[in-house]
Amino acid sequence: AQSVTQLDSQVPVFEEAPVELRCNYSSSVSVYLFWYVQYPNQGLQLLLKYLSGSTLVKGINGFEAEFNKSQTSFHLRKPSVHISDTAEYFCAVSYATYNFNKFYFGSGTKLNVKP
Amino acid sequence: EAGVTQFPSHSVIEKGQTVTLRCDPISGHDNLYWYRRVMGKEIKFLLHFVKESKQDESGMPNNRFLAERTGGTYSTLKVQPAELEDSGVYFCASSQDGQGQYFGPGTRLLVL
C-alpha cells in the first residue's frame, strides 16, 4: 500500500529561524508531489508542487521543496519563518502510473513559530 | 473567482441519524474529490468524480456513504445512518487537470 510519512507531528521554531519539514513516501514509481498548508479555521491551500523537471521547486510565501528520487523524499524548507507561517502543513503524493487523481496525504506537521 | 465551498461548516448529529454534506467546486472544474480526516490522522481519499461519473470510489468506507454529483456541478455526500467513527473533517476538492487540487474549508462532522 502507498504511504506518506511526515516524520514530525509538531515543529516549534523561533521567528526568523530556518525550518525544514520532512516528507517521505513509499514508492519509487513516477510521482507527483505536493505541499499544502492549512491555516486555523481555513481549508488547505496549495503551497507548491512537483510534476516533472527541476527537482527544486519554489512555492508561495518563500517556501521551497526538493524532490529526491533516490531517498523518496520531498522536504519543505524556508530560510526564515514568520509568525504568520504558524499552520499545519501536509505533504501529498499521487502516482503518475496509477490514478494520479488520487492523493495520499501524510498525517500533517504543525509548525509553531514563536516570537 | 470563487473557491471551493462546502456546507455546512459544522454538523453535530446523533448516532443513527442522516447527514448530507454539500460541495460546490470551482466553476468549470470537471474533477471533484471527497476526502476525510479522522481524529488528527492523515487525510484519506474517499472518491473522485469526473463530471457526473464516479471515476474512483475505492476510498468509500462502506455502503452507509453515498456520493452524488447530478449534472456534473455540485456534489453531495450522504451518511446514513451515521456512526460514531464517522466523525471527522470532510474535505472537498476540485481540479481542472488533476495536477493540483483546490480544497474547500471542510465540514466538521461530530456524531454523538
Side-chain angles (χ1 to χ4, degrees):
Chain A
Q2 315 297 354
S3 67
V4 180
T5 302
Q6 290 184 243
L7 295 168
D8 304 301
S9 60
Q10 296 191 49
V11 173
V13 63
F14 287 105
E15 194 173 18
E16 298 183 6
V19 72
E20 178 180 83
L21 307 183
R22 296 178 291 172
C23 174
N24 289 84
Y25 55 95
S26 60
S27 177
S28 60
V29 299
S30 295
V31 293
Y32 298 143
L33 299 158
F34 307 84
W35 275 98
Y36 284 85
V37 59
Q38 186 179 25
Y39 298 104
N41 301 315
Q42 295 187 27
L44 278 72
Q45 180 181 358
L46 181 64
L47 266 181
L48 49 78
K49 62 183 176 182
Y50 169 80
L51 304 179
S52 65
S54 173
T55 57
L56 183 62
V57 180
K58 294 188 182 300
I60 62 172
N61 301 339
F63 284 93
E64 63 181 32
E66 187 158 17
F67 168 51
N68 188 320
K69 186 175 181 180
S70 62
Q71 297 187 1
T72 59
S73 69
F74 190 55
H75 299 333
L76 181 70
R77 302 185 184 99
K78 187 169 183 178
S80 176
V81 295
H82 300 137
I83 295 287
S84 59
D85 293 322
T86 294
E88 190 162 20
Y89 292 78
F90 295 91
C91 179
V93 178
S94 68
Y95 294 88
T97 52
Y98 304 119
N99 176 7
F100 65 86
N101 284 284
K102 184 175 182 177
F103 280 21
Y104 295 84
F105 281 87
S107 53
T109 297
K110 291 182 179 177
L111 178 65
N112 183 15
V113 182
K114 305 176 182 179
Chain B
E1 178 183 280
V4 176
T5 58
Q6 294 187 244
F7 182 83
S9 58
H10 295 80
S11 180
V12 181
I13 62 172
E14 293 189 351
K15 176 181 172 181
Q17 290 185 322
T18 297
V19 63
T20 300
L21 314 181
R22 173 171 170 145
C23 168
D24 287 78
I26 292 172
S27 178
H29 282 191
D30 290 337
N31 296 282
L32 186 149
Y33 315 82
W34 284 98
Y35 291 85
R36 178 174 73 170
R37 189 182 192 198
V38 174
M39 290 286 290
K41 295 186 177 179
E42 69 272 23
I43 300 168
K44 284 194 173 181
F45 170 89
L46 295 179
L47 86 160
H48 167 215
F49 283 99
V50 177
K51 298 184 179 179
E52 65 275 11
S53 299
K54 292 176 185 175
Q55 187 74 14
D56 181 351
E57 51 184 331
S58 60
M60 294 288 266
N62 51 61
N63 59 10
R64 295 186 293 104
F65 289 75
L66 175 64
E68 295 180 322
R69 193 183 182 194
T70 306
T73 55
Y74 71 91
S75 174
T76 58
L77 179 65
K78 182 162 69 174
V79 185
Q80 180 184 30
E83 298 289 345
L84 300 179
E85 63 264 25
D86 300 333
S87 296
V89 182
Y90 290 77
F91 291 102
C92 176
S94 72
S95 75
Q96 184 53 40
D97 57 12
Q99 295 177 350
Q101 297 178 13
Y102 296 87
F103 282 75
T107 293
R108 285 149 184 78
L109 175 65
L110 179 60
V111 183
L112 301 176

